[in-house]
Amino acid sequence: MKTVILLRHGESEWNLENRFTGWTDVKLTEKGRQEAAHAGRLIAQAGLTPEYYFTSYLRRAIHTLQIAAAQMERDWVPVVKDWHLNERHYGALQGLNKADTAEKYGAEQVRLWRRSFDCLPPLLTPDDPRFPGNDPRYAALASTELPLAESLQDTIARVRCCWEEVIEPRLHNCGCILIAAHGNSLRGLAMKLLNMTASEVIDLEIPTGAPWVFTLTDRMEVTANRYL
């Protein structure tokens, strides 16, 4: 049997400020750091011992993983960082207050941008300072991989690629892994693991700092899942 732990990062500064975050690299709040520490203690108390960690290129997920690993006293476990596990890219919405955006464009339009499966938010332009091509951490990406914005469907497609090419091969060789990532990237993994439909996944809410534990067979079929 295999164990996969999904952990959404703790509260970030822009979660607190109700802003669209996406690929913007914001920090955890003090509450977020406490959530990460609590998650690590819960995992340790459950007797789970991850042998591999996976996370995104964004420090709110990286720091959540580091804090949780320290609480588990498993700081030495190998970490794979992969941009495919980044949060959904919200394009030109990134940095905007969600309430102000709803007032400007209408609540229904913002709901579509946030909660539809295949609707794109407004696109960035390549000369926008927020364009990921301006960030050195994405210097190795091809121009076709640098998003101007993403739908949930786009995000799930890249996350599935990461699962199939990076995560699953390592899981075949160990018993337990931990993936610390973001609300939408973890939705993509949950959709894959639980064979969810598009309509089911858009309604899926994953709380911050709450370890979600999946038990899988050696054939990667989920037999149980629970929050700690």
Side-chain angles (χ1 to χ4, degrees):
M1 302 297 284
K2 308 290 185 181
T3 301
V4 174
I5 307 166
L6 304 185
L7 179 61
R8 183 181 176 189
H9 65 77
E11 181 188 70
S12 75
E13 293 173 341
W14 282 13
N15 289 146
L16 181 62
E17 295 173 14
N18 196 32
R19 297 164 74 180
F20 289 98
T21 309
W23 285 27
T24 310
D25 199 18
V26 302
K27 297 179 181 179
L28 295 173
T29 62
E30 181 55 35
K31 176 184 176 182
R33 297 179 68 83
Q34 292 173 4
E35 288 177 330
H38 182 60
R41 290 192 293 272
L42 288 175
I43 294 167
Q45 290 165 8
L48 300 173
T49 53
E51 299 162 64
Y52 253 106
Y53 298 139
F54 300 86
T55 191
S56 72
Y57 275 12
L58 300 170
R59 59 184 166 183
R60 57 192 186 273
I62 295 169
H63 291 173
T64 293
L65 175 57
Q66 292 170 340
I67 294 166
Q71 291 294 319
M72 290 185 275
E73 298 187 353
R74 294 184 68 81
D75 313 58
W76 50 270
V77 170
V79 180
V80 176
K81 296 174 185 173
D82 195 312
W83 70 271
H84 290 87
L85 293 173
N86 278 14
E87 178 58 289
R88 175 187 173 190
H89 197 295
Y90 276 104
L93 297 179
Q94 292 189 169
L96 301 182
N97 179 275
K98 294 174 184 177
D100 292 345
T101 306
E103 186 173 336
K104 180 176 180 179
Y105 293 101
E108 179 58 24
Q109 179 61 69
V110 172
R111 188 193 69 79
L112 284 173
W113 285 332
R114 294 186 65 197
R115 293 303 185 189
S116 65
F117 188 69
D118 55 4
C119 179
L120 280 171
L123 302 181
L124 289 177
T125 56
D127 61 350
D128 191 300
R130 296 170 292 177
F131 177 56
N134 298 320
D135 191 323
R137 81 192 76 191
Y138 306 114
L141 272 62
S143 58
T144 54
E145 295 177 305
L146 295 168
L148 299 175
E150 291 178 309
S151 65
L152 177 59
Q153 184 177 33
D154 295 330
T155 307
I156 288 172
R158 63 169 161 82
V159 169
R160 286 192 173 208
C161 173
C162 183
W163 172 267
E164 293 166 1
E165 297 180 11
V166 179
I167 300 174
E168 188 175 342
R170 286 177 172 82
L171 184 55
H172 278 296
N173 296 317
C174 65
C176 181
I177 64 169
L178 168 62
I179 305 168
H182 309 266
N184 285 302
S185 52
L186 293 180
R187 275 188 180 135
L189 290 172
M191 186 180 189
K192 169 76 174 177
L193 292 170
L194 298 175
N195 297 311
M196 300 175 76
T197 65
S199 59
E200 289 172 334
V201 78
I202 61 175
D203 292 327
L204 176 63
E205 293 289 347
I206 301 174
T208 57
W212 191 4
V213 180
F214 293 76
T215 303
L216 290 74
T217 67
D218 291 340
R219 295 169 59 88
M220 301 297 146
E221 297 167 341
V222 174
T223 59
N225 71 93
R226 64 188 176 102
Y227 280 103
L228 298 181

